[in-house]
Each structure stands twice: as structure tokens, then as C-alpha cells.
Amino acid sequence: MSKKRKGSPGGPATPSPSRPAQPQSPVQSAGVRSEPVGPAVGPAVAQALSDTSRPFELIRFDKRLKWYLGLCAALFVLITLAKIHPISLAMWNDLMPDGSNPKRGLISGQPRRIRMDDYAVGTPWILSQANKGFPTVNETIGGEHAPILVTPTHHFSEIFRPDHWGFFVLPIDQAYAWLYNSRAFMAIVGATLMLLLLTRNNFWLSIFGSIWLFYSSGTVSWSFIPAPLIAGTSFIFVATVYLLYGKNRTQVLVASVALAWLLMVYALILYPPYQVPLGYVLLFLLIGYFINNWDVKRLFSNWPVKLTGGLLSLAVLGLAFWAFYVDVKPTLNAIMNTVYPGKRSELGGTGFVANWFSEFFRWQIEDTKFPSNWLNHCELSHYITFAPLIIPLSLVAFAMSRKIDWTVLLLSVFVVIGYVWIEVGFPEWLAKLTLLNMSPTRRTQIPFGIGNVLLTVLYLHYLTTIDIKQNKVYTGAGIAAVLGFMIYAANLNVADSAGFFRLNQLIIPIVFFTVLGSLLLFTWQPAYRNLMFGAGILVFLLPNLRLNPVSKGLTPITDHVLYRTVQDIHKQDPAGKWAVFGGQFVSYLITATGVDLLSGVKYIPPRTTLKVLDPTMKRDSAYNRYAHTIYNSYIDGKDSVIIQNTFEDGYVVAMDPCSPRFKQLNVKYIVFDKQPQPVETRCMKLVTTLGSIQIYRINE
């Protein structure tokens, strides 16, 4: 992101012995000059204009790029071997203190209570699988073959889950680090390679774009959950381009197999709320790229090889998907027929959790400090947008320069469609036709934000390819318009934040983003435009570096006294099932031990258990969902079982801890999170006490 000179992102690549410099053709201006040209049409501009006249090429794997990729790979290996990851496992030291070091497993930063899905759900599921030997059936996680969909398993589909590979070759702590670090590595590398194609090997702009995507709050606040989707979208784009534009047989055939594999990787992420909108981003990028680089001779060169490659890709994809679908069809049917999330169908129009422009002012927002009506830090987080400036600017620039960048145009279309979906909504038939009915608007805002970031990066590249003469009057008017937009955004946030913001607090971000927004005006050509813009964005994103903690290993769970105690009991009686009466966090921690547990989080309803508790399925609507399951005591002398839905993703089972149903289910151990009443333990004997937690064994 420096001035368009030798080797800079703003201009073409430096000539090399293997690719001599191309002659620059004269360029006619499409604008009307209101002042002398001056230095604006000097060597830097001429060099930028040559971007469109040089020969087409794919990714240039020069020494600089190889060093960068090598550095990324080395960092990935080092931090993985060091067991370092960004997950807030150290929260267990606070939630269930056992007298150990409160900083156990924490290198720096603070664990985030809001990331319960990571430290209390996902991680215990993974440890449960590891302690059981990665089976495909585990009712502690859910019914049917739930583990195949959400955790590492000994199943052929793991071929298409590279973030799980570490669990089969590394110790568990390093494998857990692999899970998150591989996602980061693939997202940054994938986005860089995709942007190198889209920006014609603009190295620094591509790196900047990938870092912007990865360190935006919409990615970071969600503990990098969007990272695999960024990676998948990026690599699918690269593989598709190489399949259609590959210069030799090897490139085409490798790309075809890679494309099939990548499409399966993307499909098995199994999260339509992100996948569907990002699918449109990918589609529009591919169409725009093909139009920008349309050349019949180039596309149809080696057409027999490309046709063979395309058919090979479809064959591999079809075979892999068919094998997966046949094997897990009952499981997929079970999850699709749940009340939540399977049968939810959206029409859009419910708006952003915060608002489209809230990211401009997030310096005032912290994990535990945010407007009360914005749900929580994760839900309100998305991506900085300049689309309201870029869309009108690009349309005028297209007209004045008589040159359209179709990737910019089609991403603009995506942003408009996404905005309408989020703020206005679609008719039911259109929501279903576009599949956006599977993407609630508060989830759509993540892929929508990714599209906004890509739009900005590609627009910055577009500005290096056109020559519209400078005009001080238009530039002044443009800066005033940018300032007006920022004042509007600030007022919107003041009005929308339930008194959290005051206008005088937002003066610095107003000025800051007015400067950055002014750099997007095509009516002037500031030196080092990309450098200044990129530096500004990266400075703004710096606080996100400390949002998640730097953690090491799994010791907050695996060294916890309750974990070790339950595992010791389980080794002596591995067939016995468990149930926790009371606190949900006790269930989450015991889940990790690998015991068969009735309570806890169930990805799919465990029908084997529920048929005993509710034989007539009277309360099916209460438990037919992804749910946090809590058991409480209810003793009426009739062995009644009451199942009540408490939240969209939760239900309570109220029953007698001495119910004969537990013997029918082979439940032998009952855990109470506080001192139980004698009537609750009349059928069992105490095994051990850990502070307020008591573990009982049901009498034979």
C-alpha cells in the first residue's frame, strides 16, 4: 500500500528477466480537466495504467510471495507445537475454581465469558470424543451420528476437514491448537491468493485485504468462526480460476481435483446462515473476474484438458457427496426436522443487531461495555463498510473512464441485495428461491460485511487502473459529502445506542474516517493512497489483537479436580451413565471427561434417552432442538417427568433423581451441584464430595 512505484501494490509488477516489461500504450482521458495536469500524469500514473495493458497472468509465485507463505506456514507450525490458541478456556478457572492457579492455561489477555460456545460447548465435545476414541455415535453430544457433523470422528469425511487432521496425528493439546491455527493460516493465505488474482498480483494490497478480513471484529469477536468460510470461499475461487485459465495440463488437473475437494470442505462446514450469502459473494466474484478477463482464445485453449478436468471435478465431488449423504442421511434428516434450528425460515427485514455503521465507532465498545439494546459483543460485531461511498463513486468513475471493473460492480450489487435482505426483507417465495430464508439477518451481517471489505479492496485496485483528471472543486465537494456521511453515521449511532454514545464522543472517529473515506475519491490522486488507507484501517483494528486471550493447552479443563475425579470413577465403571442435577456448567465440564451424560448440550435430540423419559412424545416440541439440557429435582411420588422448553436453545427436565427410568437407561451416577435433600438421595450412596459438588452412585 505505497505509492505506485517499483514493486508497489499500486502499480504493475517489476519487470524481471523471465517477464520483460511491456510497452505502455497511450491512454486517452475520459474526464474533463478543470486545471492543468501537473504531476498527476507522471510516471506513477502511467505505470498504474499499464496494469490493463500487460499480458494476463495467474498468481505470480515470485520470491517475495514464497517468503510470505513460508513465514505464515512457519508461524502456524510454531504456535501449534507450542499449544497456543485464542480460546477462553481459562474461564473455567473463574466459573468453577478448584484452588488451582487462576491463570492456568492463560499466557496473556483476559478470557471472555461471552464465548461460552467455545469453552463450554465445543471444547467439551471435542474432549468427549477424544476420550472415547473419536466414535461416530456419542449421545453425550447428541442423537444419531451427531459427532460426524460437529466434531472429529473416525469417518471418511475427515478427509474434507483439514482443521481436524491434527487430532489423528498430534497430542490432544497440540491438535486443539491445530484446529484454530489452521483456520487462521488457511484464511489469511487463501484470501491473499484470491486477492492476488483479483488485483493482478498487487502484493501489498492483497496482504492488506486478507489481514483486514481476518482481524475485523466480525471475525475476531466470534473467535474466528468465519475464518474457515473465508478460507473456503477464497480457495474455491483460486481453484476455479486455475481450472478455466490454467496454462498446462498439470495446472488444470490439479485445480480440478482441488476444486472438488474444496467444495466438499465448504459444504461440510454445515452452517447455511454464513454459507448461502458467502456463496453469492463467490459467484459474483467469479462472474466479475471472467468478464474482466474475457478472452475466448485463452479460455478455450487446451479445452479437452479443461473439459476433462471439469468432469473429473464433478465426478469426485459427486462421489464424495453421495457417500457422505447416504451415510449420514438419518442424521441430516434429524437436524433438519428440529424446531430449532432446522425448521426456522427467515424473511429478512429484522435489521442489524446494531446498525450498518456501528463499526466506525467500536473504539468505545468493549466485551462487557456496549449499548444495552445491542444484545452482546459478538452479535453486534461485523465489518467496516465504505459501500455507501464506493457504490456511487464507482458508478460515476465507470461512466467517466469508460471502464467497468465487473468485480466492483457485482460486489456492489451484492451489497445492495444484502442490505435489502437485512433491512427490508424479501417475499417468502423469493427468500426460499434465493435460500436466504436459511440466513437470519443477524447472521447475514457477517458475510455481508466480508463482501463490503472485498468491495473496498477491489475498488482501491480499480483506482490504480483509471486516469480521471484531478479536479479540486469536485474533490472538495466529495470531502464535504464524506464528512456529511460520517456525521449522519454518528447521529444514527447516537440515536440507536440507548444513550450509550454522545455525539461529542464520536468526533475523533468522524474525523478519522472522513480522512480515510476521502482517500477513496477518484477526483484526486494522493501519493501513497493505498499505504495511507491501509495503515489507517490496520491502526483502527489494533484493539482487536487483544480481544481474545492468548491461551495454552487444555489444562483449565483437563487439570480440573472435577474432571480428574470423574475420569477416575469412570475408569472403574466405564459402562455407567451419568446425570447432573443443577448447574449447567457442571454438566459442561463432565461432558469433557468422556462419560455418557444425559444432561449437557445436545446437538441433535438423543431419542434413545427421550423415548424413556417421554414415551408418548407428548413434549416433543420442547426437546426437538439443539439444546442446553438441565435436569432438576421434581418428586411427586408418581415418577412424573416434566420437560419444559425454557429458551430457543434450551429445555429443563424435572424428575425424581431416584426414578426407575434411570435404571432403565443404565444411569448409575448422579451429580448434585449443591447439598441435596435426603429424599433426593434415598436410593443412592455418596461417592465423593468436591466443595459444594456431590457425586452419588445409585444403589443396585
Side-chain angles (χ1 to χ4, degrees):
M1 297 163 291
S2 59
K3 191 173 181 179
K4 300 179 281 294
R5 297 182 184 276
K6 180 177 179 179
S8 71
T14 305
S16 67
S18 61
R19 193 183 67 80
Q22 301 298 315
Q24 298 175 358
S25 56
V27 179
Q28 298 296 324
S29 171
V32 178
R33 183 179 302 282
S34 62
E35 61 176 329
V37 174
V41 290
V45 174
Q47 186 183 26
L49 294 172
S50 70
D51 180 81
T52 58
S53 64
R54 70 172 188 235
F56 172 84
E57 63 177 332
L58 297 172
I59 298 172
R60 189 185 313 123
F61 286 94
D62 55 17
K63 185 176 181 180
R64 179 172 56 179
L65 178 58
K66 291 176 181 177
W67 270 103
Y68 178 72
L69 297 179
L71 177 62
C72 291
L75 287 173
F76 162 58
V77 171
L78 287 174
I79 60 177
T80 297
L81 293 178
K83 308 175 187 178
I84 294 172
H85 58 81
I87 304 305
S88 298
L89 297 188
M91 272 307 307
W92 286 108
N93 301 330
D94 295 328
L95 293 170
M96 294 180 60
D98 62 349
S100 300
N101 184 352
K103 296 293 184 180
R104 179 175 54 190
L106 186 66
I107 296 176
S108 66
Q110 295 295 323
R112 304 173 61 207
R113 189 183 182 96
I114 187 63
R115 292 308 306 149
M116 180 176 164
D117 284 350
D118 304 325
Y119 64 79
V121 181
T123 304
W125 278 356
I126 290 171
L127 284 170
S128 175
Q129 282 291 99
N131 284 315
K132 285 176 171 287
F134 300 110
T136 59
V137 176
N138 182 353
E139 282 211 345
T140 299
I141 293 174
E144 300 290 345
H145 288 81
I148 295 176
L149 304 186
V150 293
T151 62
T153 58
H154 284 300
H155 189 261
F156 83 91
S157 61
E158 294 298 335
I159 297 170
F160 306 104
R161 290 186 165 117
D163 53 346
H164 288 179
W165 292 351
F167 291 101
F168 307 107
V169 296
L170 295 172
I172 186 64
D173 293 82
Q174 292 175 339
Y176 187 78
W178 173 292
L179 176 70
Y180 290 96
N181 297 334
S182 63
R183 293 173 179 178
F185 171 71
M186 299 296 284
I188 291 173
V189 170
T192 299
L193 296 179
M194 178 180 71
L195 288 169
L196 284 169
L197 286 171
L198 289 165
T199 63
R200 297 197 173 195
N201 289 296
N202 194 323
F203 180 75
W204 292 110
L205 189 58
S206 298
I207 289 178
F208 160 65
S210 67
I211 294 174
W212 185 0
L213 283 171
F214 186 73
Y215 277 110
S216 288
S217 59
T219 305
V220 176
S221 187
W222 285 101
S223 300
F224 305 102
I225 288 175
L229 291 124
I230 294 171
T233 301
S234 301
F235 278 114
I236 289 170
F237 178 90
V238 173
T240 304
V241 169
Y242 268 83
L243 174 60
L244 295 178
Y245 289 90
K247 296 179 179 179
N248 56 59
R249 181 180 303 175
T250 301
Q251 281 186 348
V252 172
L253 294 181
V254 170
S256 64
V257 175
L259 179 60
W261 180 77
L262 288 163
L263 288 169
M264 276 299 293
V265 170
Y266 189 83
L268 293 188
I269 293 173
L270 295 172
Y271 196 65
Y274 287 171
Q275 289 170 295
V276 171
L278 269 180
Y280 283 109
V281 172
L282 174 63
L283 178 64
F284 288 168
L285 283 175
L286 285 170
I287 293 173
Y289 184 85
F290 295 151
I291 297 176
N292 283 347
N293 298 281
W294 179 256
D295 186 316
V296 174
K297 183 177 180 180
R298 184 184 303 134
L299 277 171
F300 289 94
S301 64
N302 293 324
W303 70 265
V305 177
K306 293 178 180 179
L307 179 60
T308 301
L311 294 175
L312 176 63
S313 183
L314 290 174
V316 172
L317 176 64
L319 180 63
F321 187 80
W322 177 82
F324 177 80
Y325 179 75
V326 169
D327 200 32
V328 301
K329 182 179 178 181
T331 307
L332 293 174
N333 288 340
I335 191 65
M336 291 301 294
N337 286 309
T338 55
V339 176
Y340 170 84
K343 289 185 177 180
R344 69 179 176 187
S345 183
E346 303 287 331
L347 299 178
T350 53
F352 293 86
V353 172
N355 59 75
W356 194 7
F357 311 122
S358 59
E359 284 297 309
F360 290 134
F361 310 105
R362 72 171 297 108
W363 273 351
Q364 280 82 15
I365 294 174
E366 299 175 7
D367 223 23
T368 56
K369 180 184 175 184
F370 52 86
S372 59
N373 57 330
W374 288 5
L375 294 183
N376 60 60
H377 190 279
C378 296
E379 298 286 359
L380 66 86
S381 297
H382 52 108
Y383 299 77
I384 299 169
T385 180
F386 292 94
L389 303 175
I390 290 173
I391 292 176
L393 285 171
S394 60
L395 292 177
V396 175
F398 293 160
M400 295 182 67
S401 67
R402 297 174 186 170
K403 178 186 176 183
I404 297 175
D405 186 312
W406 288 90
T407 58
V408 172
L409 179 60
L410 291 177
L411 278 181
S412 298
V413 172
F414 168 79
V415 170
V416 172
I417 293 172
Y419 181 81
V420 172
W421 167 253
I422 292 171
E423 291 288 2
V424 180
F426 286 1
E428 184 176 1
W429 67 269
L430 184 58
K432 291 182 177 179
L433 180 66
T434 58
L435 302 182
L436 287 174
N437 67 309
M438 294 190 287
S439 183
T441 59
R442 66 179 184 174
R443 297 290 175 258
T444 309
Q445 68 182 19
I446 296 299
F448 176 77
I450 291 170
N452 275 265
V453 171
L454 291 173
L455 173 63
T456 306
V457 174
L458 296 183
Y459 176 77
L460 285 169
H461 166 69
Y462 173 70
L463 292 181
T464 69
T465 69
I466 60 173
D467 177 30
I468 297 178
K469 306 305 189 312
Q470 297 187 81
N471 187 305
K472 290 183 178 179
V473 174
Y474 292 165
T475 300
I479 293 173
V482 174
L483 176 60
F485 163 69
M486 285 307 307
I487 292 174
Y488 164 76
N491 276 298
L492 175 64
N493 278 269
V494 170
D496 193 41
S497 64
F500 183 84
F501 291 123
R502 291 186 176 87
L503 189 59
N504 64 322
Q505 295 176 303
L506 306 183
I507 293 176
I508 291 177
I510 288 173
V511 174
F512 183 83
F513 282 105
T514 297
V515 173
L516 291 186
S518 298
L519 291 172
L520 299 175
L521 299 174
F522 59 80
T523 54
W524 68 319
Q525 295 176 359
Y528 306 105
R529 184 204 305 266
N530 288 355
L531 176 62
M532 290 189 291
F533 185 89
I537 292 294
L538 295 181
V539 166
F540 186 77
L541 296 179
L542 278 177
N544 288 345
L545 290 174
R546 56 182 176 82
L547 183 58
N548 290 300
V550 179
S551 304
K552 181 177 182 178
L554 295 160
T555 54
I557 294 177
T558 57
D559 284 357
H560 196 282
V561 65
L562 177 61
Y563 178 93
R564 296 199 309 268
T565 301
V566 172
Q567 277 209 323
D568 289 341
I569 297 171
H570 180 57
K571 288 175 183 177
Q572 299 173 20
D573 189 3
K577 294 184 179 180
W578 294 61
V580 174
F581 275 69
Q584 62 194 77
F585 284 97
V586 178
S587 287
Y588 302 151
L589 188 59
I590 292 179
T591 293
T593 64
V595 302
D596 293 322
L597 182 67
L598 268 62
S599 50
V601 183
K602 310 300 177 185
Y603 184 71
I604 297 173
R607 294 291 178 180
T608 302
T609 299
L610 293 167
K611 283 179 182 178
V612 176
L613 300 182
D614 184 28
T616 63
M617 299 180 65
K618 181 180 179 181
R619 298 295 298 162
D620 182 75
S621 61
Y623 54 73
N624 184 23
R625 62 187 67 239
Y626 166 94
H628 296 253
T629 308
I630 298 174
Y631 281 65
N632 287 330
S633 293
Y634 176 73
I635 303 172
D636 64 354
K638 301 177 183 179
D639 193 29
S640 299
V641 177
I642 299 174
I643 304 177
Q644 184 175 3
N645 175 223
T646 50
F647 299 99
E648 184 179 49
D649 61 349
Y651 63 87
V652 171
V653 178
M655 62 183 295
D656 188 345
C658 288
S659 168
R661 299 174 197 257
F662 279 152
K663 286 195 174 182
Q664 188 178 347
L665 291 168
N666 197 37
V667 174
K668 294 185 178 181
Y669 295 92
I670 303 294
V671 182
F672 295 95
D673 70 337
K674 57 185 177 182
Q675 176 67 46
Q677 297 297 315
V679 68
E680 295 177 274
T681 61
R682 67 190 185 278
C683 65
M684 56 188 80
K685 62 180 180 181
L686 180 66
V687 176
T688 189
T689 298
L690 301 171
S692 64
I693 297 173
Q694 297 189 359
I695 301 176
Y696 283 79
R697 191 183 193 279
I698 297 177
N699 299 326
E700 298 291 345

